[in-house]
Amino acid sequence: MGIRLGGLLIKELLQFLRDPVMLVMILWLYTGEVIMCTRSLSLEAQNLPLAVVDLDRSPASRALADAFLAGDAFRPAGHPRSEAQAMSALQAGSARAALVIPETFARDLARGVPAPVQLLLDGADSNVAAQARGFALAALQGFAPPPGSQARTALPAQPQVQAVVRAWYNPDQNSRRFTVLSMIALAGFIVGVIHPAASIVRERETGTLEQLRVTPIGSADLFVAKTLPTLFMGLVSVLPSLVIARLFEVPLAGSLGLFLALTGLFLFSAIGLGVLVAAIARTLQQALLLAFFGLFPLLFLSGTIAPVESMPEVLQQASVVSPLRHYMDVILGIFLKGAGLAELWPQALALLVIGAVLFAAAWAVFRREFG
């Protein structure tokens, strides 16, 4: 019995070592995945883009802006000329917060009365908004006006600068809204990747693909048949999630048609990735493992777990290729901000380019493998 068992153990070990796909995945999980998650999963927000609307243009107002940008909490995101332009930056996602300094800022400091400023926050991600609020209040508390800009009669116990904080798009800072929308995006991506991958590999295992090769059906027909139903199913599956979102008090502030159109672009890239997985995998088990192997890095780089701005520069650059990152901007923008194509065209273009590249690569590999 011992000899037979030893032989079986050796056979299984050799079979495992002969599976390069499994070996690469295990090596990646214990090395690259650990490194990437450790570097990217920082729940502390940093380098948040801050737009500064300086209507006062005085040494005191410039000193206040410098106080906000002195640490690692904020980075400059332009100088809009009005509060309306700052709101447009928040809606488009190019800024996470906006500091509005009124024209009377330096004058109020000189008179010895509290100088009000306005802090506008993108409340779509309540966790990031709460941290941005804390960073801003800390900067205001430590702000020291330039010499000569503050009246000597100012009461020392009275705050020099008073902040009026307004969280837009999610005023009550309900974190469930962000969670619901991120789960809808993740579900769509999983369906788009796994369904075509599993479908193609399953037919390869059962021999159906070999039977189709001897029929008049061409590789282009088969490719379309494996991709279009997934796209249709993904779009239809999104509709019940709208009801779920409504149950969790997530409003649809934007256009439903635009949401479905951009969801189609998002699924376009996910399906292309799924076909690529099917071309590499030889078994259904390998296909599922490879799918999750690709899903995890794209999930970490999407900003759903940790803000993209808090990641190292190299990971921020790498996140540009993640369709999930761009789709998160889309779904948050349409649902919570009421954003239209005028604000979301960069994300739409990114999804189109990523989808076209993945789909073209998927077609080339599919035609070679199954043509």
Side-chain angles (χ1 to χ4, degrees):
M1 178 179 177
I3 297 177
R4 292 196 301 270
L5 179 59
L8 286 174
L9 292 175
I10 293 174
K11 189 268 292 183
E12 291 296 329
L13 179 61
L14 291 176
Q15 186 174 350
F16 172 75
L17 294 176
R18 289 169 183 164
D19 189 346
V21 175
M22 187 68 68
L23 288 175
V24 170
M25 284 193 296
I26 292 177
L27 180 62
W28 167 258
L29 288 173
Y30 278 97
T31 55
E33 195 88 14
V34 173
I35 294 173
M36 188 180 66
C37 293
T38 304
R39 297 296 300 273
S40 64
L41 292 183
S42 174
L43 299 181
E44 180 180 353
Q46 293 179 340
N47 299 315
L48 299 177
L50 173 72
V52 178
V53 183
D54 188 356
L55 301 177
D56 191 41
R57 299 185 181 275
S58 65
S61 64
R62 287 191 291 270
L64 180 62
D66 292 340
F68 270 72
L69 300 172
D72 296 330
F74 297 105
R75 62 174 175 83
H79 292 79
R81 296 183 178 181
S82 65
E83 181 180 338
Q85 291 184 359
M87 287 298 303
S88 297
L90 291 178
Q91 189 177 37
S94 58
R96 292 274 194 153
L99 175 65
V100 182
I101 306 175
E103 298 175 349
T104 59
F105 180 73
R107 189 189 319 159
D108 290 338
L109 288 178
R111 291 170 52 201
V113 298
V117 297
Q118 190 173 188
L119 182 67
L120 308 177
L121 301 175
D122 179 356
D125 188 339
S126 58
N127 176 52
V128 174
Q131 293 190 58
R133 176 191 176 99
F135 294 148
L137 295 180
L140 290 175
Q141 188 175 8
F143 171 66
S149 62
Q150 185 181 15
R152 296 181 180 178
T153 57
L155 296 176
Q158 196 172 24
Q160 299 166 341
V161 182
Q162 287 185 344
V164 179
V165 182
R166 301 172 65 184
W168 287 87
Y169 316 123
N170 189 8
D172 55 355
Q173 296 294 277
N174 188 345
S175 61
R176 286 185 175 181
R177 296 191 176 103
F178 179 83
T179 303
V180 168
L181 295 177
S182 61
M183 289 301 101
I184 292 175
L186 181 59
F189 198 57
I190 291 175
V191 170
V193 173
I194 290 183
H195 182 265
S199 174
I200 294 172
V201 173
R202 188 188 307 113
E203 292 199 5
R204 173 194 275 160
E205 285 186 320
T206 58
T208 308
L209 284 178
E210 295 298 328
Q211 297 175 12
L212 290 175
R213 285 180 177 179
V214 299
T215 66
I217 298 176
S219 57
D221 298 327
L222 185 59
F223 182 76
V224 172
K226 289 297 181 184
T227 54
L228 278 188
T230 302
L231 179 62
F232 175 76
M233 182 184 66
L235 288 174
V236 172
S237 300
V238 165
L239 298 178
S241 68
L242 300 179
V243 179
I244 301 299
R246 194 64 181 173
L247 291 177
F248 284 98
E249 301 179 350
V250 180
L252 178 59
S255 167
L256 176 61
L258 180 62
F259 169 66
L260 293 177
L262 295 184
T263 298
L265 285 180
F266 172 62
L267 292 173
F268 189 56
S269 59
I271 293 170
L273 184 59
V275 176
L276 286 175
V277 168
I280 299 173
R282 290 294 175 264
T283 65
L284 183 59
Q285 181 186 17
Q286 280 188 358
L288 295 177
L289 289 175
L290 273 174
F292 282 104
F293 173 76
L295 284 173
F296 277 115
L298 296 177
L299 173 63
F300 294 139
L301 296 175
S302 67
T304 56
I305 299 177
V308 175
E309 297 87 355
S310 302
M311 299 178 186
E313 184 66 25
V314 63
L315 292 182
Q316 291 187 39
Q317 297 297 327
S319 69
V320 176
V321 302
S322 171
L324 195 55
R325 173 189 173 178
H326 303 292
Y327 187 64
M328 279 302 301
D329 292 338
V330 166
I331 196 170
L332 291 174
I334 293 178
F335 272 83
L336 298 182
K337 303 178 183 180
L341 191 58
E343 293 81 22
L344 297 175
W345 71 264
Q347 289 81 5
L349 181 60
L351 288 173
L352 179 62
V353 171
I354 294 172
V357 171
L358 287 175
F359 226 70
W363 163 240
V365 173
F366 185 88
R367 184 172 55 179
R368 186 189 66 201
E369 291 288 328
F370 309 110

